[in-house]
């Protein structure tokens, strides 16, 4: 074996090892199955540092809702496995690790069925993350409000907890009930 | 060993075998994880023989919708894994094995937030099952409409396909589009 051939062989092994290492790390970094049609967001919310969680669009439905008035939106609230277990067990407060995501769309009349309304363009994605150590002053919840995957400003995030505290303190600061 | 002891030993083996057999069959008969808050239905729909599928309440959300007028309902349409893959791939027609379930609730004003509407009592659960061999005359779809877990009558089931055919034939007879 020439010196060049030996060098190539060693390099080859290194490349192969590096390839395996990258693949192995990559597989660890993908916590959820492929999620289509959802905005990924690396940016976190002001005040709370909450991000849009990976794979949330595949989460289980807690309930739909509608916001009339100027919002004029259809909404769906999804929960991760930890939060769904709490709903199942009717166990409040929600345990740390619970995450709720509210998706919102402008409601538009269906072109195919009279009196039906369907989702139009997406408006906001809103996230609540339970971490009682990280968010002791806001009921254990961190909040994130996103438009097109970007968090809205700090002023808007200052309003989240006040409203939840004023209206649903007795339900661990969560509006949404499970719709059977 | 006495004759009685031998008999008992043989009986014991049979009981043990029978126990294992029952347990093994039982495990095969449980196709989905525990589903809470959903009506189970053994009865199938007239004309189509469609049942409420086990575990549907844990399925992925396709989209919410609202029905105004006399229905005055909030709705959520969920899909099994086969149908969700078709939505992901934008692959029409839906393959055999696709199942869509539409949940419906009366919409009621939220007691906790002005201008918000939330699910009230459940009204209907409506199911579409794709089986092109079983349902060749209705676009490959079987239909089931259930109230409190019981299928509605044959007359109501005669209206399903006509309406889907008239309005959404070009979308494989399915109204609901995926809401990202």
């Amino acid at each position: 074996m020439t010196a060049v051939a030996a060098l190539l062989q060693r390099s080859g092994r290194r490349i192969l090892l590096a390839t395996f290492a990258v693949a192995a790390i990559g597989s660890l970094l993908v916590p959820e199955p492929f999620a289509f049609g959802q905005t990924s967001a690396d940016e976190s919310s002001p005040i709370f540092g909450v991000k849009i969680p990976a794979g949330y669009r595949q989460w289980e439905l807690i309930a739909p809702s509608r916001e009339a008035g100027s919002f004029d939106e259809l909404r769906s609230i999804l929960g991760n496995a930890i939060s769904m277990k709490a709903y199942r067990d009717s166990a409040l407060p929600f345990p740390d690790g619970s995450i709720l995501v509210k998706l919102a769309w402008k409601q538009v009349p269906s072109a195919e069925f009279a009196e039906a309304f369907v989702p139009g363009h997406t408006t906001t994605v809103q996230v609540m993350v339970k971490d009682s150590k990280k968010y002791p002053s806001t009921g254990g919840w961190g909040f994130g409000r996103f438009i097109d995957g970007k968090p809205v400003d700090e002023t808007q995030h200052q309003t989240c907890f006040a409203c939840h505290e004023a209206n649903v303190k007795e339900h661990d600061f969560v509006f949404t009930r499970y719709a059977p």
Side-chain angles (χ1 to χ4, degrees), chain A residues 1-7 9:
Chain A
M1 193 186 288
T2 65
V4 172
L7 188 65
Q9 193 182 46

Side-chain angles (χ1 to χ4, degrees), chain A residues 118-156:
Chain A
V118 296
H121 72 263
T122 57
T123 56
T124 56
V125 170
Q126 297 181 70
V127 183
M128 288 178 70
V129 175
K130 190 69 178 279
D131 186 333
S132 52
K133 292 202 180 82
K134 193 170 178 181
Y135 308 115
S137 64
T138 50
W141 291 101
F143 296 83
R145 188 169 193 263
F146 302 85
I147 294 175
D148 292 332
K150 305 280 184 194
V152 299
D153 64 19
E154 184 171 330
T155 306
Q156 282 196 53

Side-chain angles (χ1 to χ4, degrees), chain A residues 2-3 10 12 14 23 44 55 61 65-66 68 81 85 88 91-92 98 100 102 112 115 117 124 142 153 165-166:
Chain A
T2 65
R10 283 202 299 274
R14 275 180 204 147
S44 56
L61 174 73
S65 70
R66 179 168 76 96
K85 185 176 187 312
R88 268 185 196 98
L92 295 184
S98 294
L100 312 177
K102 178 161 64 184
E112 297 164 337
E115 297 195 325
F117 292 85
T124 56
D153 64 19
E165 187 180 33

Side-chain angles (χ1 to χ4, degrees), chain A residues 24-61:
Chain A
I25 292 166
S27 68
L28 293 174
L29 293 175
V30 180
E32 298 281 348
F34 170 66
F36 70 113
Q38 82 181 34
T39 311
S40 64
D42 291 330
E43 288 183 63
S44 56
S45 64
I47 304 175
F48 301 102
V50 164
K51 292 184 178 185
I52 294 179
Y56 73 90
R57 187 59 185 77
Q58 273 73 51
W59 290 356
E60 203 172 313
L61 174 73

